[in-house]
């Protein structure tokens, strides 16, 4: 097939020879044209024929930047607006690990594939894939399709597709080791080990076996070890006071006697319990947390391929991954309703504890934390397995591809220290054997040791068994070329379950799972799909696809896609596409346990403490500026989401070795499944009063914030990429690249048929959307030496709480820009050495007063708290 200059350039981009946005390029225009299956199509063909925008990252280049995880690799793609990272697990139990979120629509709307097939989903989410599963050294490339593809792949492919593609085969044995360390004092260092080995030549021996073993370890980083988090929740510069009225020493109240105070209110117990200025103490719990948790990750990928003949192969692929995350957070909270009586020797005024005006022996309610029991520590263990059997080739003039996949994910969470039996704590206070204001008296029992909880409290599991098969070929010829046709079907059975250890959850106030009894759900999913690739003219071709999916629990949907590619001249190509999508709520979104836990932020009851001022029947230490309770979890009344997306763009090659692409995108997501923003619920009582559940005395029990169908989200913008491979110079070869995304608009509804609110450039709902993000790179190579300079940038936005320190409603979060620099030498025999610096200029995250994440003062979803990090990587080929 004869190709012009632009087609050759596109083939370079689409087959993965360019790391767009990383500044790393290797041109292979001289390679023989091969028929391959490109992400976004079921028909094999020349990759240049793609009608959709695809960014490809060559994983061999990632090592030069010290990138060792899939999550970190995807952070360089501008269309990936936000990410769930390991740091996002701080303060919670369980967690996904790491997940990608294209277009800011949520990780459940980004489909993650391995070699074109689905990965095990996290049981703690049900829709998102933990990116830590994937060992980068096993991959040849990562293809990112920035287009809706539900007609090709089914549900989840609303915002785009990320396809991790392993090496076709591998021979030899190579090992690598990498270490990184922040230049700041404190924690945060990491190590990475990898071994890759393979045997057999697929062409000459007829088989190949290879495997990759990967291990990574991240040391924790404490809030006190960074200047922007060392103040914890006390940030007057941000108008932020994220402290808790559950303090140590305990605050006391007697509503009927109008008593509200603390026997040590003038001094409290620095540095973490501080005087509030009204005779009470406030506990600075964010200062006690790790802002980056300790983590260990192990993964193995093995792949075997047997060549039956020149046209047919059998394959088997197994991936096993396990990760461990350790959380450290503030001391446990004593249960609500804990009361101290006048008979206790620790009662204020009885000799051990100073008295309080008005306290004369009446029962006193307590708000306190068990500080002397130490910080809470818990661990999460996630394990994922996928076993895949495949057969592909050509028979009777048809290309075929089939597979049987077995996926399983398990997640366990266990308490290690600091969590206490709330019933025993309450009994010990009430019978006078536990001091809620200070140290124990001689002769008292060690209540904290006797009430400590340890062991696994959650066992979650997600499984799926599925099969798929498709065929494709040219079915007839048109004057402009052959018409490609594909037909396929798939089936899978999904199941999830949650089991709780009631010996722990029923008595732990800190876990907030007292009412959790376990849940499970299952369903069957079947689909049939077809696709046509039609060359209308020599310069114009079209893709038509349609897919029908049927879910046994929520019904079915038919979704089409149509796209066109027009190349009127050798230097210019235009493309456009339109598609619809359908996403059924995940089993987790439908069936996860409803649990009552504390909010991440601090709020006031709008009835008992409106505007932060105590109302009649209100109690300041209970109702004002506190972490209040909310009910979260699944909702079996959820209905499916639907979507519509379209886009158009152009790729231009004005001169040789310069390629520019500009693509407009527009996505409408209907009936979006999500939770409400905590701030929205507490700041608009008139609208959300129906979500408030109160106790018989009128105090707040909790607000209902389970999964809802919230309404629609609309986002539109432009993706831009630029790649320039400069001419050879006496000092080597240079390459410049840029991958950027401009979000023109992102509007969403918090309720069906409600008004649209703007999120682009504004913190609204549960997160902001940066209007502009880009990754730019400069790559240099000269013989055995090479270097990369990378810049990442995102614009700022209006903060969650707009009021600044001067009282004006204009508080903004600054832009965030980092530089990474690395150099590689490959002149050693069988060895390569890379030395680099991430965040070269030690840029701190911009300050924000967001309260949706437990980290205070910055947002871990968009920034990195480690600061400047130096890394060294060595690779040695043994055979």
């Amino acid at each position: 097939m004869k190709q012009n200059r632009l087609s050759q350039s596109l083939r370079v981009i689409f087959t993965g020879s360019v790391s767009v946005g990383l500044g790393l390029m290797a041109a292979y225009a001289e390679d023989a044209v091969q028929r391959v299956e490109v992400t976004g199509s079921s028909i094999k063909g020349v990759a240049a024929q793609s009608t959709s925008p695809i960014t490809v990252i060559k994983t061999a280049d990632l090592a030069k930047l010290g990138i060792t995880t899939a999550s970190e690799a995807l952070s360089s793609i501008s269309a990936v607006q936000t990410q769930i990272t390991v740091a996002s697990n701080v303060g919670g139990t369980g967690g996904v690990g790491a997940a990608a979120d294209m277009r800011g629509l949520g990780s459940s709307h980004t489909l993650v594939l391995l070699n074109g097939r689905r990965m095990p989903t996290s049981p703690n989410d049900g829709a998102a894939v933990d990116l830590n599963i994937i060992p980068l050294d096993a991959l040849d490339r990562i293809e990112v399709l920035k287009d809706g593809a539900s007609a090709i792949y089914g549900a989840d492919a609303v915002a785009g597709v990320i396809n991790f593609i392993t090496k076709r085969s591998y021979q030899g044995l190579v090992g690598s080791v990498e270490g990184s360390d922040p230049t700041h004092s404190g924690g945060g260092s990491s190590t990475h080990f990898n071994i890759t080995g393979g045997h057999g030549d697929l062409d000459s021996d007829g088989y190949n076996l290879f495997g990759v073993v990967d291990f990574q370890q991240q040391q924790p980083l404490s809030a006190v070890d960074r200047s922007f988090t060392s103040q914890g929740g006390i940030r007057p510069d941000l108008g932020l006071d994220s402290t808790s009225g559950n303090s140590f020493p305990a605050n006391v109240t007697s509503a009927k006697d109008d008593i509200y105070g603390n026997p040590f209110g003038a001094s409290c117990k620095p540095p973490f319990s501080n005087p509030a200025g009204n005779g009470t103490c406030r506990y600075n719990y964010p200062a006690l947390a790790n802002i980056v948790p300790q983590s260990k990750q192990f993964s193995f990928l093995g792949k075997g391929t047997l060549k039956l003949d020149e046209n047919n192969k059998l394959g088997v692929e197994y991936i096993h991954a396990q990760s461990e995350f350790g959380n450290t957070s503030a001391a446990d909270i004593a249960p609500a309703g804990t009361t101290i009586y006048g008979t206790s020797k620790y009662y204020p005024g009885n000799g051990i504890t100073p008295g309080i005006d008005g306290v004369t022996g009446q029962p006193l309610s307590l708000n306190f934390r068990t500080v002397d029991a130490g910080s809470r520590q818990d661990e999460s263990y996630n394990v994922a397995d996928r076993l895949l059997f495949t057969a592909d080739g050509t028979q009777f003039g048809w290309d075929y591809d089939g597979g049987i996949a077995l996926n399983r994910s398990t997640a366990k969470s266990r308490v290690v220290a600091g969590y206490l039996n709330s019933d025993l704590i309450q009994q010990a206070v009430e019978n006078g054997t536990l001091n809620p204001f200070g140290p124990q008296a001689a002769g008292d029992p060690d209540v904290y040791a006797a009430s400590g909880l340890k062991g696994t409290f959650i066992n979650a599991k997600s499984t799926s068994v599925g099969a798929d098969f498709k065929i494709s070929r040219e079915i007839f010829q048109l004057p402009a070329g052959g018409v490609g046709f594909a037909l396929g079907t798939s089936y899978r059975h999904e199941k999830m379950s949650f089991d709780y250890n009631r010996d722990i959850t029923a008595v732990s106030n800190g876990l907030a799972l007292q009412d959790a009894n376990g849940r499970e759900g299952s369903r069957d999913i079947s689909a049939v799909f077809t696709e046509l690739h039609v060359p209308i003219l020599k310069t114009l071709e079209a893709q038509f696809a349609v897919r029908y999916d049927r879910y046994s629990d929520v019904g079915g949907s038919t979704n089409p896609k149509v796209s066109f590619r027009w190349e009127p001249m050798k230097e210019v190509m235009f493309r456009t596409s339109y598609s619809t999508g359908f996403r059924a709520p995940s089993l987790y979104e439908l069936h996860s346990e409803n649990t009552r836990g504390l909010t991440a932020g601090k709020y006031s009851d709008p009835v008992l403490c409106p505007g932060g001022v105590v109302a009649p029947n209100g109690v300041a230490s209970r109702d004002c500026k506190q972490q209040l309770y909310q009910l979260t979890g699944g909702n079996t009344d959820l209905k499916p989401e639907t979507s519509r997306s379209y886009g158009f763009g152009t790729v231009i090659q004005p001169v040789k070795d310069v390629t520019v692409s500009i693509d407009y995108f527009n996505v409408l997501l209907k009936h979006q499944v999500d939770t409400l923003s905590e701030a929205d619920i507490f700041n608009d009582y008139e609208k959300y009063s129906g979500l408030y559940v109160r106790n018989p005395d009128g105090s707040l029990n909790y607000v209902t914030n389970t999964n809802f169908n919230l309404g629609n989200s609309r986002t539109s913008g432009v993706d831009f990429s630029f790649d320039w491979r400069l001419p050879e110079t006496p000092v080597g070869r240079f390459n410049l690249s840029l991958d950027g995304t401009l979000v023109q608009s992102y509007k969403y509804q918090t309720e069906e048929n409600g008004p649209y609110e703007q999120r682009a450039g504004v913190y609204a709902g549960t997160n902001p959307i940066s209007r502009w993000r880009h990754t730019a790179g400069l790559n240099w190579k000269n013989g055995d030496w090479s270097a990369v300079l990378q810049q990442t940038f995102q614009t700022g936005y209006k903060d969650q709480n707009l009021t600044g320190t001067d009282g004006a409603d204009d508080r903004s979060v600054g832009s965030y820009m980092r530089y990474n620099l690395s150099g590689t030498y490959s002149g050693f025999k069988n060895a390569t050495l890379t030395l680099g610096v991430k965040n070269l200029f030690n840029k701190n995250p911009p300050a924000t007063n967001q309260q949706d994440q437990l980290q205070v003062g910055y947002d871990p979803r968009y920034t990195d708290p480690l600061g400047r990090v130096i890394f060294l990587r060595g690779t040695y080929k043994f055979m």
Side-chain angles (χ1 to χ4, degrees):
M1 180 182 292
K2 185 177 179 180
Q3 290 190 312
N4 59 38
R5 190 174 74 195
L6 180 61
S7 293
Q8 288 179 328
S9 175
L10 291 173
R11 178 166 57 85
V12 171
I13 294 175
F14 292 145
T15 56
S17 300
V18 175
S19 296
V20 180
L22 292 175
L24 307 169
M25 178 176 181
Y28 298 112
E30 70 277 9
D31 290 351
V33 176
Q34 297 180 350
R35 294 172 67 250
V36 297
E37 186 172 312
V38 179
T39 302
S41 175
S42 298
I43 301 172
K44 287 187 176 181
V46 178
Q49 295 171 339
S50 174
T51 58
S52 299
I54 301 175
T55 295
V56 180
I57 306 172
K58 289 292 290 184
T59 53
D61 297 324
L62 296 174
K64 297 178 182 178
L65 287 165
I67 293 174
T68 60
T69 67
S71 173
E72 192 176 4
L74 293 175
S75 67
S76 298
I77 302 297
S78 61
V80 180
Q81 264 285 342
T82 63
Q83 289 196 90
I84 299 173
T85 65
V86 172
S88 300
N89 296 286
V90 169
T93 55
V96 173
D101 173 11
M102 295 182 65
R103 307 298 185 204
L105 293 172
S107 57
S108 60
H109 302 89
T110 299
L111 180 60
V112 176
L113 305 173
L114 179 65
N115 293 327
R117 287 184 169 89
R118 291 173 177 270
M119 296 282 288
T121 56
S122 168
N124 288 319
D125 180 277
V129 171
D130 183 358
L131 299 176
N132 294 319
I133 292 173
I134 305 161
L136 282 187
D137 288 79
L139 303 179
D140 174 68
R141 64 190 185 275
I142 306 171
E143 294 184 353
V144 181
L145 174 67
K146 304 176 182 179
D147 194 8
S150 291
I152 307 298
Y153 299 110
D156 314 331
V158 172
V161 179
I162 299 172
N163 192 7
F164 295 92
I165 300 174
T166 60
K167 296 177 172 67
R168 179 172 176 264
S169 62
Y170 189 84
Q171 291 179 283
L173 181 66
V174 62
S176 66
V177 58
E178 178 176 321
S180 68
D181 194 42
T183 56
H184 272 309
S185 60
S189 62
S190 65
T191 53
H192 175 221
F193 303 93
N194 180 276
I195 297 177
T196 303
H199 181 70
D201 183 271
L202 202 56
D203 294 322
S204 60
D205 300 326
Y207 74 92
N208 180 258
L209 298 170
F210 83 88
V212 178
V213 176
D214 190 275
F215 175 78
Q216 302 187 48
Q217 180 168 312
Q218 170 79 53
Q219 296 299 320
L221 178 66
S222 299
V224 295
D225 289 329
R226 290 295 180 266
S227 61
F228 49 89
T229 55
S230 61
Q231 300 171 70
I234 303 174
R235 293 296 300 268
D237 57 318
L238 300 177
L240 196 63
D241 181 3
S242 291
T243 56
S244 171
N246 292 292
S247 70
F248 187 80
N251 291 322
V252 304
T253 59
S254 177
K256 70 181 184 66
D257 299 312
D258 196 27
I259 294 172
Y260 172 52
N262 192 300
F264 297 93
S267 60
C268 300
K269 191 176 182 179
F272 301 118
S273 284
N274 304 290
N278 60 356
T280 66
C281 299
R282 304 287 300 184
Y283 187 68
N284 191 0
Y285 64 91
L288 276 296
N290 285 339
I291 55 177
V292 174
Q294 178 174 316
S295 64
K296 296 179 182 178
Q297 301 167 26
F298 169 83
S299 58
F300 166 78
L301 187 145
K303 184 176 181 180
T305 306
L306 176 65
K307 189 174 181 180
L308 300 177
D309 54 40
E310 289 302 315
N311 296 317
N312 301 280
K313 301 190 302 292
L314 295 177
V316 61
E317 182 180 289
Y318 175 64
I319 186 168
H320 171 81
Q322 56 191 58
S323 56
E324 175 184 332
F325 307 100
N327 265 317
T328 298
S329 55
D332 210 350
I333 301 174
T338 299
T339 303
I340 189 168
Y341 297 98
T343 55
S344 172
K345 59 180 175 291
Y346 299 121
Y347 189 88
N350 279 3
I352 296 177
T353 305
I356 301 175
D357 289 344
V359 172
T360 59
Q362 66 270 60
L364 300 174
S365 296
L366 303 178
N367 297 89
F368 79 101
R369 291 181 183 255
T370 55
V371 170
D372 285 347
S375 297
R376 283 174 289 180
Q377 299 176 41
D378 60 84
E379 297 173 342
S380 298
Y381 299 89
N382 297 338
V383 178
D385 294 274
R386 187 182 84 163
L387 179 61
L388 173 68
F389 300 95
T390 62
D392 66 275
T394 303
Q395 286 290 333
F396 311 111
W398 290 85
D399 294 325
Y400 70 91
D401 186 3
I404 298 175
L406 296 87
N407 294 316
R408 183 182 69 175
S409 295
T410 59
K412 295 183 179 181
S413 298
R414 65 186 301 267
V415 290
V416 178
Y419 288 89
L420 304 174
N421 185 315
S422 300
D423 293 344
L424 296 181
I425 295 297
Q426 187 167 351
Q427 292 170 15
V429 172
E430 293 176 354
N431 65 27
T433 58
L434 178 63
N435 187 359
F437 305 106
Q440 295 290 91
D444 275 342
D446 189 344
V447 176
Y448 291 138
S451 60
L453 299 174
K454 290 186 178 181
T456 299
F457 63 93
I458 292 180
N459 278 286
K461 183 167 69 172
S462 172
T463 61
S464 70
V465 178
D468 63 84
F469 184 77
K470 62 187 175 186
I471 55 174
S472 65
R473 63 168 292 175
E474 287 187 358
I475 52 175
F476 57 85
Q477 290 287 321
L478 293 176
V483 175
F485 169 76
L487 179 67
T489 185
S490 65
Y491 166 83
R492 71 180 185 274
H493 175 77
E494 294 182 342
K495 185 177 181 180
M496 62 84 66
S497 63
F498 266 77
D499 294 317
Y500 296 88
N501 181 350
R502 297 290 295 157
D503 291 339
I504 295 177
T505 58
V507 297
S508 171
N509 187 59
L511 292 174
L513 296 169
Q514 289 96 328
D515 300 325
N517 293 302
R519 300 282 291 272
E520 65 178 29
S522 64
R523 64 182 172 200
D524 297 307
I525 307 166
S526 56
V528 61
F529 54 92
T530 187
E531 181 183 348
L532 281 173
H533 183 272
V534 182
I536 301 171
L537 302 171
K538 290 291 185 181
T539 59
L540 178 65
E541 57 192 42
Q543 177 195 33
F544 304 98
V546 64
R547 181 185 181 104
Y548 175 74
D549 292 275
R550 177 72 185 180
Y551 287 72
S552 61
D553 54 351
V554 295
S557 178
T558 300
N559 293 283
K561 178 175 182 177
V562 57
S563 57
F564 296 91
R565 177 182 180 274
W566 180 40
E567 194 173 328
M569 60 186 71
K570 63 182 181 180
E571 298 87 5
V572 180
M573 184 267 282
F574 298 96
R575 58 191 173 205
T576 185
S577 67
Y578 174 88
S579 64
T580 66
F582 166 86
R583 192 187 79 86
S586 70
L587 292 176
Y588 180 83
E589 289 168 331
L590 290 166
H591 300 290
S592 62
E593 189 78 54
N594 285 181
T595 58
R596 179 177 171 270
L598 291 171
T599 58
K602 186 181 63 175
Y603 306 98
S604 295
D605 185 324
V607 172
L608 298 177
C609 191
V613 179
V614 183
N617 300 319
V619 177
S621 62
R622 180 193 67 195
D623 306 319
C624 301
K625 298 180 181 179
Q626 302 293 325
Q627 286 180 283
L628 302 175
Y629 283 96
Q630 62 177 335
L631 188 75
T632 59
N635 181 353
T636 56
D637 293 329
L638 293 175
K639 57 186 178 182
E641 302 172 330
T642 60
S643 69
R644 180 271 300 149
S645 62
Y646 65 88
F648 52 84
T650 183
V651 182
I652 304 171
Q653 191 178 36
V655 296
K656 184 180 179 181
D657 294 329
V658 175
T659 304
V660 180
S661 70
I662 303 174
D663 288 278
Y664 172 81
F665 64 87
N666 189 300
V667 183
L668 169 63
L669 180 63
K670 298 181 179 180
H671 319 302
Q672 184 168 4
V673 175
D674 205 347
T675 58
L676 290 165
S677 163
E678 295 175 359
D680 287 348
I681 295 175
F682 288 102
N683 291 338
D684 194 343
Y685 180 72
E686 182 178 353
K687 182 176 182 179
Y688 296 112
S689 60
L691 300 180
Y692 284 70
V693 178
R694 297 192 175 275
N695 298 309
D697 64 356
S699 63
L700 181 64
N701 189 346
Y702 59 82
V703 295
T704 302
N705 196 14
T706 56
N707 295 318
F708 298 109
N709 287 107
L710 295 185
N712 302 343
S713 290
R714 299 175 180 266
T715 182
S716 62
V718 178
D719 293 320
F720 176 83
S721 70
F722 169 82
D723 198 274
W724 181 17
R725 191 174 187 229
L726 281 72
E728 189 80 37
T729 71
V731 295
R733 193 76 182 251
F734 293 87
N735 187 86
L736 291 170
S737 68
L738 176 74
D739 177 63
T741 295
L742 172 67
V743 179
Q744 295 175 313
S745 177
Y746 190 115
K747 296 181 179 181
Y748 74 104
Q749 298 170 309
T750 57
E751 59 185 348
E752 301 229 24
N753 303 316
Y756 279 94
E757 300 180 40
Q758 181 64 261
R759 187 176 286 177
V762 178
Y763 197 111
T766 57
N767 63 286
I769 299 293
S770 294
R771 285 196 174 274
W772 171 258
R773 300 181 75 248
H774 78 245
T775 299
L778 171 64
N779 178 62
W780 166 78
K781 183 172 177 58
N782 186 12
D784 295 328
W785 293 91
S786 62
V788 181
L789 176 64
Q790 180 197 66
Q791 179 205 61
T792 61
F793 174 83
Q794 64 186 40
T795 54
Y797 50 87
K798 292 183 179 179
D799 211 350
Q800 185 177 31
N801 174 13
L802 290 176
T803 303
T805 54
D806 58 358
D809 287 343
D810 60 356
R811 194 191 131 79
S812 296
V813 177
S815 60
Y816 186 56
M817 180 167 60
R818 297 192 308 159
Y819 288 89
N820 304 317
L821 177 65
S822 66
T824 299
Y825 179 69
S826 56
F828 301 111
K829 183 179 180 180
N830 297 330
T832 301
L833 192 65
T834 298
L835 177 65
V837 182
K838 301 177 186 179
N839 197 354
L840 181 64
F841 299 109
N842 201 27
K843 177 73 172 180
N844 284 338
T848 169
N849 56 33
Q850 65 83 21
Q851 296 185 71
D852 288 317
Q853 301 291 300
L854 286 179
Q855 290 91 331
V856 174
Y858 79 104
D859 198 319
R861 296 169 294 184
Y862 307 93
T863 57
D864 183 359
L866 292 176
R868 184 190 296 114
V869 175
I870 298 175
F871 69 90
L872 177 65
R873 177 185 177 95
T875 301
Y876 185 80
K877 188 173 183 179
F878 296 94
M879 51 187 296

